[in-house]
């Protein structure tokens, strides 16, 4: 057995808590050892999380990540950064400057300009940073992408995604950046189902459209989007987005947190000879256009453990690259930013269609929009925009934008935030 990788985790709560749980498991299996952790609210978490067992495990706990890196950085092989998105860039830089491999939670940033700076920073990294998009390394996904590239299904025409994940009111109060466009200091936050909770699936869609090699992502050439909100938030909770990649593949996706019931998500990849139906965590099948249905085995997949172990292999020199790098995240961040520019407004959904539901599962309060599931499906299958067909938009129709429009990103955000 190889010596365990020595790891630091910034943060103790939120998704950092999931990394801690995962690491306790990997530590017990001998893969890794937690050396240090930190959180400005470390004392609160110490009381709430006695099962972390830091004293027995010899884990040093700090309230500031810089003090932690000053004290323990020389001992670390890897630093996990599962913190608020607006802190990613500075924490990533601190990791690279100390020669520590960074496991940076997705999204790396939601500001295309900051991403370019992070890419430059990463060129000096001893080990290329991993961006923690969870589902790229699924075996079934990699095998299907390879078959796609081999031409088994004929040319790729379209990739579609629908995702409806209900989120209760408390979700939008979970921290001081939830549902926000900008931080109080003017930094870009852009928290939304697109940028945060469902980011994995949008990145997956771009992965299907990656034209050249297995680990390639489609580059959005044109983007059109409509953004809506049902919740009383600054940002959007519902997205309709269509993009054409440089290779002429149409990507269309509809995402919402303004729903109730069970969470649903599905990726559909339409090729000339077959359509792939991929539902993460549930089912994958190939529906050949001659009528045959080919089921695809979907292995049990513990996303955090698998992604940690995959990155450990890269750090140890056993593989030649991390699953998703900062450069690979460019299409995702560009697509996200262009969606805001294209829409130019975040429209309140018609109030008479929005109803409040208490779900018996958790006794929490959800907002759901009457008829929205049909509207999402109509958009996905027929490209029907609710702004024009249902008159949902209050302003002019959204516009088709390209990368050349990116300089309008900050003025657009400021205009949206001031409304
Ligand atoms: N991969 C996934 O499936 C997944 C799921 C959820 C969240 N995320 C990502 O994880 C990241 C964190 O999201 P979150 O909702 O947990 O955020 P959060 O606001 O709950 O923050 C996470 C932790 O960071 C701590 N923190 C805040 N400021 C800090 C600082 N200056 N120094 C050290 N620690 C600090 C917080 O106290 C908290 O414990 C985001 O990038 C998010 O998109 C990923």
């Amino acid at each position: 057995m190889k010596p365990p990788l020595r790891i630091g985790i910034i943060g103790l709560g939120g998704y950092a808590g999931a990394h801690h749980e995962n690491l306790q498991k990997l530590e017990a299996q001998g893969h890794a050892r937690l050396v240090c952790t930190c959180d400005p609210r470390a004392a609160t978490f110490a009381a709430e999380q006695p099962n972390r067992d830091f004293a027995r495990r010899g884990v040093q706990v700090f309230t500031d990540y810089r003090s932690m890196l000053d004290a323990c950085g020389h001992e670390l092989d890897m630093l996990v950064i599962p913190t608020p998105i607006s802190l990613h860039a500075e924490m990533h830089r601190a990791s690279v400057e100390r020669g520590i491999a960074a496991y940076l939670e997705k999204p790396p940033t939601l500001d295309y300009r900051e991403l370019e700076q992070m890419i430059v920073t990463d060129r000096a990294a001893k080990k290329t940073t991993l961006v923690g998009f969870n589902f790229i390394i699924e075996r079934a996904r990699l095998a299907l992408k390879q078959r796609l590239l081999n031409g088994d299904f004929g040319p790729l025409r379209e990739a579609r995604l629908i995702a409806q994940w209900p989120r209760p009111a408390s979700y939008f109060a979970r921290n001081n950046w939830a549902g926000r466009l900008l931080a109080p200091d003017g930094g870009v936050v852009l928290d939304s189902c697109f940028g945060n909770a469902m980011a994995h699936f949008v990145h997956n869609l771009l992965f299907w459209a990656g034209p050249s090699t297995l680990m390639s992502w489609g580059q959005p050439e044109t983007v059109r989007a409509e953004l809506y909100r049902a919740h009383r938030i600054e940002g959007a909770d519902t997205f309709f987005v269509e993009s054409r990649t440089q290779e002429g593949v149409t990507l269309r996706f509809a995402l919402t947190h303004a729903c109730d019931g069970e969470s649903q998500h599905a990726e559909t990849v339409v090729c000339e000879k077959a359509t792939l139906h991929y539902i993460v965590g549930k089912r994958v099948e190939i529906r050949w256009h001659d009528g045959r249905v080919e089921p695809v085995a979907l292995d049990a997949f513990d996303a955090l453990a698998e992604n940690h172990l995959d990155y450990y292999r890269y750090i140890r020199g056993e593989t030649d690259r991390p699953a998703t790098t900062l450069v690979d995240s460019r299409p995702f961040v560009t697509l996200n930013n262009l969606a805001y520019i294209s829409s130019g407004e975040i429209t309140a959904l018609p109030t008479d269609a929005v109803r409040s539901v208490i779900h018996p599962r958790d006794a929490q309060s959800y907002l759901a929009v009457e008829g929205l599931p049909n509207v999402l499906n109509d958009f996905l299958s027929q490209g029907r925009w609710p702004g024009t067909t249902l008159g949902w938009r209050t302003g002019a129709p959204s516009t088709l934008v390209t990368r050349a429009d990116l300089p309008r990103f900050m003025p657009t955000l400021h205009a949206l935030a001031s409304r």
Side-chain angles (χ1 to χ4, degrees), residues 9-19 38-42 45 49 62-66 81-88 90-91 103-108 132-135 165 171 174-178 191 195-197 199-200 303-304:
I9 300 179
I10 307 186
L12 283 161
Y15 202 59
H19 277 279
C38 63
D39 199 294
R41 296 189 297 126
F45 286 114
Q49 302 176 338
F62 297 81
T63 51
D64 185 90
Y65 81 92
R66 286 158 293 226
I81 309 175
T83 52
I85 300 164
S86 57
L87 298 176
H88 285 185
E90 64 168 73
M91 292 174 171
Y103 184 131
L104 177 66
E105 262 307 331
K106 60 78 202 158
F133 286 102
N134 283 350
F135 301 109
W165 280 13
Y171 176 80
R174 69 191 189 279
N175 53 39
N176 62 3
W177 54 279
D191 184 46
N196 194 350
H200 300 290
L304 258 193

Side-chain angles (χ1 to χ4, degrees), residues 136-209:
I136 295 305
I137 60 166
E138 286 183 305
R139 274 224 291 269
R141 183 180 303 281
L142 292 170
L144 283 176
K145 170 85 185 275
Q146 192 54 60
R147 285 179 69 182
L148 192 60
L149 291 174
N150 294 348
D152 289 12
F153 311 122
L156 171 63
R157 303 289 188 221
E158 278 188 34
R160 302 179 198 143
L161 162 69
I162 187 161
Q164 300 173 74
W165 280 13
R167 286 291 178 265
S170 59
Y171 176 80
F172 297 98
R174 69 191 189 279
N175 53 39
N176 62 3
W177 54 279
R180 299 203 63 93
L181 294 172
L182 293 170
D185 67 0
V188 174
V189 178
L190 281 193
D191 184 46
S192 77
C193 47
F194 181 169
N196 194 350
M198 298 162 177
H200 300 290
F201 302 123
V202 177
H203 187 63
N204 292 347
L205 214 59
L206 290 157
F207 180 69
W208 293 122

